[in-house]
Amino acid sequence: MAENTDVVVVGGGYAGVMAANRLTRGDDVTVTLINPRRTFVERIRLHQLVGGSDDAVVDYREVLGERVQLVVDTVTRIDAAGRRVTLASGGTVGYDYLIYAVGSGSADPAVPGAAEFAYPIATFEEAGRLRPVLDAAPATAAVTVVGAGPTGIETAAELAEAGRAVTLVCGGGLGPYLHPRGRRSVAERLAKLGVTVLDGPDAKVTAVACDAVRLSGGRELPSEVTIWTAGFGVPDLAVRSGLSTDALGRLLTDETLTSVDDVRIVAAGDSAAPSDLPLRMSCQAAMPLGARAADTVLSRIAGERPSPLNQAFAGQCISLGRRAGIFQFAHRYDVALWFHIDGRPGARLKEFVCRGIVKHLADEAGKPGSYSLHRVSGGAERQRLLRAKRGQAPATAERAA
């Protein structure tokens, strides 16, 4: 292995922390993690931050290896030719390899008034801004949650369990990932909590005002607090840096997560688009991708051929307040099965998963290389999709080192 190889990891979320910890397997690898926050954000608990049942942060000392240098700053540009990144503070950091793990956040809503009057909660800062707004609102205030994916469902349930009057506007169907049996279970729990669920073609938001939400069917809902959970976007760092991306801005890579532009840049997590077939944005995908990205870098340092992506999914778990939840099982290729666990056992399983994720990161910090879920077989369907592209996927970058 080459001496004193410097690897910079941009982004300290689930993928970035996993990658940084795993990189320390290399005795002569210096790892720098650059992240704008001083604490690790448990993004899967942000709905609890909004509801007041958790602060959604963990000290980096609990999840980050001792050999990883944490730099609290924001990367504003990647200079691939010069192998360095520019920081918001004005400095630069050089690298031999870079792992791009900037994650995702709220998408810019195209609905009139949404940006001005609705509160997104995809990031820690956004959830933190909403919390005092809810605290200041009367207990009887009408709260509207827009978006019926996991974040919307969890937020609606959390607030309703706390006594809020909540309307969940689906914009289509409730829990589109869920199997119909799982969807019925979620709908029953939301009804028990008093959540009004609006779904179907007339339940798309067309405008948001300071005190109301207008729907495609012509209905206007009074709404003193509107929470926006519809859709995710990714930071534009790759675009601003002149790197190839998909239409959403995710870094285009091959199946080893190596950038199609530069063999020295590897991506992981929500901001990666391997072969222009990105995985579902989720913590469940981010951590294995972080491990795979680190393995790719270590293989290249050692002069070995990196292994390709082999991603398996288990399903989707959703909390429905503090006393119920659902774990929706799925095929390894991420299609929901009929089987699910709900109620109190579902809530306990969801909490077990949340704690287990932090434990996985801490274990990798203490014993780099111990994580192995990214090696679980599950890539058959992906290989079929790749073959269907008939050679249209981006080729592996082979630019001179």
Side-chain angles (χ1 to χ4, degrees):
M1 184 176 290
E3 291 186 3
N4 298 321
T5 302
D6 293 317
V7 183
V8 166
V9 180
V10 183
Y14 296 108
V17 170
M18 174 58 73
N21 286 340
R22 197 172 186 85
L23 285 166
T24 61
R25 284 190 300 160
D27 293 335
D28 298 313
V29 177
T30 300
V31 185
T32 301
L33 177 67
I34 304 175
N35 189 65
R37 305 176 189 91
R38 294 184 179 276
T39 53
F40 175 77
V41 174
E42 287 191 88
R43 189 171 174 186
I44 55 177
R45 292 193 188 274
L46 287 180
H47 64 285
Q48 291 184 250
L49 173 61
V50 170
S53 63
D54 200 279
D55 60 9
V57 292
V58 174
D59 195 302
Y60 268 119
R61 289 175 294 183
E62 296 183 28
V63 296
L64 203 58
E66 292 181 357
R67 288 182 49 206
V68 179
Q69 179 187 4
L70 175 65
V71 174
V72 181
D73 212 324
T74 299
V75 174
T76 58
R77 185 175 180 274
I78 300 168
D79 178 2
R83 294 185 197 162
R84 60 179 176 266
V85 298
T86 302
L87 304 179
S89 62
T92 61
V93 178
Y95 65 84
D96 295 306
Y97 288 91
L98 180 142
I99 292 183
Y100 186 83
V102 297
S104 62
S106 298
D108 292 332
V111 174
E116 293 83 2
F117 302 115
Y119 292 88
I121 58 169
T123 67
F124 179 76
E125 289 76 16
E126 289 170 345
R129 284 193 290 270
L130 173 59
R131 176 74 183 277
V133 173
L134 284 167
D135 289 344
T140 57
V143 177
T144 302
V145 178
V146 180
T151 304
I153 292 171
E154 290 185 324
T155 304
E158 197 81 20
L159 295 178
E161 190 177 71
R164 291 288 182 180
V166 181
T167 299
L168 178 62
V169 180
C170 298
L174 174 68
Y177 178 93
L178 299 170
H179 186 276
R181 291 181 59 166
R183 188 174 300 115
R184 284 195 296 271
S185 176
V186 169
E188 289 170 2
R189 174 60 181 170
L190 291 175
K192 187 175 181 179
L193 289 171
V195 177
T196 300
V197 177
L198 302 180
D199 57 5
D202 292 337
K204 294 183 179 180
V205 176
T206 58
V208 178
C210 62
D211 58 356
V213 171
R214 298 185 182 91
L215 304 183
S216 52
R219 183 176 178 181
E220 183 169 295
L221 304 175
S223 182
E224 294 182 51
V225 181
T226 301
I227 303 171
W228 197 270
T229 72
F232 292 103
V234 298
D236 64 351
L237 176 60
V239 174
R240 285 187 283 111
S241 300
L243 298 168
S244 296
T245 67
D246 68 0
L248 193 63
R250 292 172 288 211
L251 187 70
L252 284 175
T253 76
D254 65 10
E255 286 296 285
T256 71
L257 303 180
T258 304
S259 165
V260 299
D261 301 312
D262 193 328
V263 76
R264 299 271 180 166
I265 298 177
V266 179
D270 291 353
S271 54
S275 301
D276 206 11
L277 289 172
L279 302 173
R280 172 165 58 93
M281 289 185 180
S282 62
C283 171
Q284 187 174 176
M287 287 177 48
L289 287 172
R292 176 63 62 197
D295 287 356
T296 290
V297 170
L298 292 172
S299 293
R300 293 200 183 279
I301 292 172
E304 300 170 353
R305 182 183 294 274
S307 299
L309 179 65
N310 186 25
Q311 184 79 28
F313 285 87
Q316 188 176 84
C317 52
I318 302 174
S319 66
L320 298 167
R322 296 299 87 212
R323 295 185 292 275
I326 183 171
F327 191 102
Q328 170 67 74
F329 287 86
H331 294 282
R332 291 185 179 186
Y333 51 86
D334 206 24
V335 173
L337 289 164
W338 64 271
F339 182 61
H340 67 267
I341 297 173
D342 59 10
R344 287 187 180 273
R348 288 193 292 267
L349 185 52
K350 164 73 173 184
E351 182 61 23
F352 175 81
V353 169
C354 291
R355 294 185 181 186
I357 288 167
V358 173
K359 186 177 185 302
H360 276 308
L361 296 175
D363 288 349
E364 189 69 18
K367 187 179 179 181
S370 61
Y371 183 83
S372 60
L373 292 182
H374 64 306
R375 298 196 184 103
V376 174
S377 177
E381 176 64 12
R382 184 171 183 83
Q383 291 305 311
R384 186 192 69 78
L385 292 172
L386 288 170
R387 288 194 297 271
K389 290 176 71 70
R390 292 187 175 90
Q392 296 176 5
T396 303
E398 292 296 345
R399 199 172 82 176

